[in-house]
C-alpha cells in the first residue's frame, strides 16, 4: 500500500455548502469589481478560475488564467480555456495539457535569488537543533503531506539507504496537511517509520513559515512528487546550492539538469533514487559542484525576471481592452 490509496472525501452536504459559498462569494466579488473599476481578472488555480469564469460571464471583464495545476478533467479544462482571454502556463508539462494553444504561453515561475541563497546568518538552525552531529548527512523533503507528494516513497528510500549500510544519515520532512484534506496520511507515515525502525533516522518537522534555514542546513534534497506541475521547491533548494534528485516527469524534469544540478530518475525505477542518493552521500565534492551548478541554473532561468512577462501580459490585455 502507499499514500496514493487515500482519496479526498466528498459528501453531498459538502457539495451543497460549496455551492452556497460560491454564490455568496461571487456576489461579493462583483461588488468589489464595480467598486474598484477592475478591467482584468487574474486567477491562478482551478478553484479561482471557476470564480473567474463566472465573473467574466456576468461582467464581461477580461480574464487571465495562470495555470499551476494538472488538468485532470479535459471537459472542465476546455471550458476554463474557452472563457480565458490569455492563459499562462508554469511549465511545458502544463502547456501540453492546454487545448487552446493559441491563447497559451509558457512563463516559468521565478524567485528572488537574493532572498533564496546560502547565507551564514541562517545557520541558527543547525543540525544540532535536531540533536545531530554536523557531519551527519541530512536529506530533506518539503511539501504538503498529501498523497501525490509521495512522502511514503521518501521513507522507503530512507529505509533502503539505512539498510544498505549508511548510518550517518538523517531524513527530514517539512510540511503538514495544510487544508486537513488527508488526515490519515500523517498517521500512515508515522506508522511506516515505527514499523521499519527508522525512528532515530527520521524527523517530522511540521509546518515552517520560513524554510530557508532548513534548506541551508540540508545536504541533499529529494523531490518525489507524481507529475508535479512545476516544483517551485526544487528551484528554491537549487538556489541554496543543494543537489536535487527527482523524477524525470512533470515540471521538475524541466528544472533539474540531469548529472549537473542533480539527477532525473525514471518514475518507474524508484530504486535508482536510492542508488543516486547513496552516491551523493559518499561524494561531498560532487554535492558541492552540483549545488553550484543548480544555483547558476536558477539565476539564469528562474529569476524574478520571469515575472516581468506576467506584468507585460497584463498590460497587453489592458491596452486591448481600451482599444
Amino acid at each position: 500500500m502507499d499514500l496514493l490509496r487515500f482519496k479526498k472525501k466528498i459528501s453531498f452536504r459538502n457539495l451543497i455548502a460549496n455551492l452556497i459559498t460560491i454564490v455568496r462569494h461571487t456576489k461579493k466579488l462583483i461588488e468589489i469589481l464595480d467598486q474598484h473599476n477592475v478591467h482584468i481578472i487574474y486567477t491562478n488555480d482551478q478553484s479561482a478560475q471557476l470564480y473567474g469564469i463566472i465573473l467574466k460571464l456576468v461582467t464581461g471583464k477580461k480574464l487571465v488564467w495562470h495555470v499551476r495545476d494538472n488538468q485532470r478533467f479535459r471537459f472542465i479544462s476546455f471550458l476554463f480555456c474557452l472563457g480565458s482571454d490569455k492563459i499562462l502556463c508554469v511549465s511545458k508539462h502544463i502547456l501540453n495539457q492546454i487545448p487552446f494553444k493559441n491563447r497559451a504561453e509558457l512563463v516559468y515561475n521565478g524567485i528572488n535569488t537574493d532572498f533564496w541563497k546560502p547565507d551564514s546568518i541562517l545557520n541558527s538552525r543547525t543540525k544540532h537543533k535536531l540533536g545531530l552531529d554536523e557531519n551527519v548527512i541530512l536529506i530533506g523533503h518539503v511539501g504538503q503531506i498529501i498523497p501525490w507528494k509521495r512522502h511514503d516513497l521518501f521513507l522507503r528510500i530512507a529505509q533502503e539507504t539505512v539498510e544498505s549500510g549508511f548510518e550517518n544519515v538523517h531524513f527530514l520532512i517539512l510540511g503538514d496537511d495544510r487544508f486537513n484534506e488527508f488526515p490519515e496520511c500523517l498517521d500512515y507515515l508515522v506508522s511506516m517509520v515505527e514499523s521499519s525502525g527508522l525512528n532515530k533516522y527520521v524527523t517530522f518537522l511540521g509546518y515552517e513559515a520560513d524554510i530557508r534555514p532548513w534548506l541551508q542546513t540540508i545536504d541533499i534534497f529529494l523531490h518525489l512528487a507524481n507529475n508535479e506541475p512545476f516544483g517551485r521547491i526544487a528551484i528554491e533548494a537549487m538556489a541554496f546550492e543543494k543537489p536535487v534528485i527527482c523524477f524525470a516527469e512533470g515540471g521538475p524534469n524541466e528544472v533539474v539538469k540531469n548529472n549537473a544540478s542533480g539527477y532525473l530518475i525514471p518514475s518507474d525505477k524508484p530504486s535508482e533514487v536510492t542508488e543516486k542518493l547513496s552516491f551523493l552521500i559518499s561524494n561531498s565534492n560532487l554535492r558541492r559542484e552540483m549545488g553550484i551548478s543548480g544555483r547558476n541554473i536558477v539565476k539564469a532561468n528562474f529569476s524574478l525576471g520571469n515575472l516581468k512577462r506576467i506584468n507585460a501580459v497584463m498590460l497587453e490585455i489592458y491596452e486591448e481592452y481600451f482599444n
Side-chain angles (χ1 to χ4, degrees):
M1 294 191 297
D2 56 43
L3 284 184
L4 294 178
R5 67 191 173 94
F6 293 114
K7 306 296 181 183
K8 190 184 298 186
K9 292 181 173 60
I10 299 175
S11 68
F12 180 74
R13 178 180 295 180
N14 287 341
L15 289 175
I16 296 299
N18 288 339
L19 286 174
I20 294 173
T21 299
I22 289 171
V23 171
R24 185 172 67 250
H25 287 176
T26 299
K27 289 181 178 179
K28 183 62 177 178
L29 287 169
I30 291 173
E31 293 176 5
I32 293 172
L33 293 180
D34 291 338
Q35 179 182 352
H36 295 279
N37 195 27
V38 172
H39 301 293
I40 304 172
I41 301 168
Y42 168 88
T43 64
N44 67 1
D45 67 18
Q46 291 181 332
S47 299
Q49 178 66 353
L50 175 60
Y51 284 102
I53 291 293
I54 295 172
L55 291 170
K56 179 180 173 66
L57 290 173
V58 174
T59 67
K61 308 293 185 183
K62 295 289 185 179
L63 177 61
V64 177
W65 183 24
H66 200 163
V67 191
R68 303 173 184 273
D69 302 306
N70 287 310
Q71 305 302 294
R72 293 190 299 161
F73 305 104
R74 290 187 178 182
F75 180 68
I76 293 176
S77 178
F78 178 86
L79 293 179
F80 280 3
C81 291
L82 185 64
S84 301
D85 295 282
K86 186 69 176 181
I87 305 164
L88 304 177
C89 302
V90 296
S91 64
K92 294 176 184 176
H93 169 70
I94 293 297
L95 180 61
N96 290 335
Q97 301 175 40
I98 298 300
F100 287 69
K101 296 290 192 297
N102 60 321
R103 301 183 188 181
E105 180 178 339
L106 171 65
V107 181
Y108 283 123
N109 285 336
I111 62 173
N112 184 345
T113 53
D114 289 329
F115 182 80
W116 298 92
K117 68 175 182 179
D119 192 333
S120 59
I121 296 175
L122 298 175
N123 271 336
S124 59
R125 296 182 190 175
T126 62
K127 295 173 185 177
H128 290 299
K129 294 260 183 175
L130 300 174
L132 304 174
D133 292 333
E134 284 299 316
N135 63 345
V136 170
I137 303 299
L138 188 60
I139 298 102
H141 186 297
V142 179
Q144 291 186 67
I145 297 183
I146 54 180
W148 63 274
K149 291 292 186 179
R150 299 310 308 269
H151 295 77
D152 55 327
L153 187 53
F154 179 77
L155 293 179
R156 289 197 188 100
I157 290 165
Q159 182 178 4
E160 291 174 2
T161 302
V162 171
E163 290 179 349
S164 67
F166 290 101
E167 294 193 354
N168 198 34
V169 294
H170 198 82
F171 293 79
L172 180 67
I173 294 177
L174 284 90
D176 59 12
D177 181 6
R178 183 170 54 176
F179 301 109
N180 196 33
E181 294 176 321
F182 300 95
E184 311 96 334
C185 286
L186 181 58
D187 292 338
Y188 177 73
L189 295 173
V190 171
S191 68
M192 280 187 68
V193 170
E194 293 175 348
S195 63
S196 57
L198 289 174
N199 300 70
K200 72 174 185 176
Y201 295 103
V202 176
T203 296
F204 291 92
L205 203 58
Y207 172 78
E208 289 281 324
D210 185 2
I211 63 171
R212 292 177 302 153
W214 297 108
L215 289 180
Q216 170 94 356
T217 302
I218 66 171
D219 298 287
I220 304 166
F221 189 80
L222 266 58
H223 188 66
L224 305 174
N226 284 107
N227 276 316
E228 178 78 68
F230 176 74
R232 178 187 171 99
I233 186 60
I235 63 173
E236 291 169 349
M238 288 164 61
F240 267 89
E241 298 185 353
K242 307 302 176 180
V244 176
I245 302 177
C246 61
F247 289 130
E249 63 180 23
N253 191 43
E254 303 167 40
V255 170
V256 175
K257 187 174 181 181
N258 194 34
N259 295 314
S261 62
Y263 295 111
L264 294 169
I265 308 298
S267 58
D268 60 345
K269 297 180 179 179
S271 61
E272 291 189 14
V273 175
T274 307
E275 294 175 13
K276 295 300 185 184
L277 176 60
S278 299
F279 189 62
L280 282 176
I281 290 171
S282 304
N283 291 272
S284 59
N285 289 336
L286 181 59
R287 294 199 303 270
R288 191 175 304 110
E289 291 171 6
M290 284 188 162
I292 293 172
S293 175
R295 179 165 175 81
N296 289 336
I297 289 171
V298 173
K299 291 174 70 175
N301 301 291
F302 305 104
S303 69
L304 285 180
N306 293 1
L307 303 185
K308 293 180 181 178
R309 179 54 195 155
I310 299 176
N311 294 334
V313 167
M314 293 298 188
L315 182 58
E316 291 168 7
I317 297 291
Y318 189 79
E319 291 174 345
E320 178 185 330
Y321 184 90
F322 283 101
N323 289 334

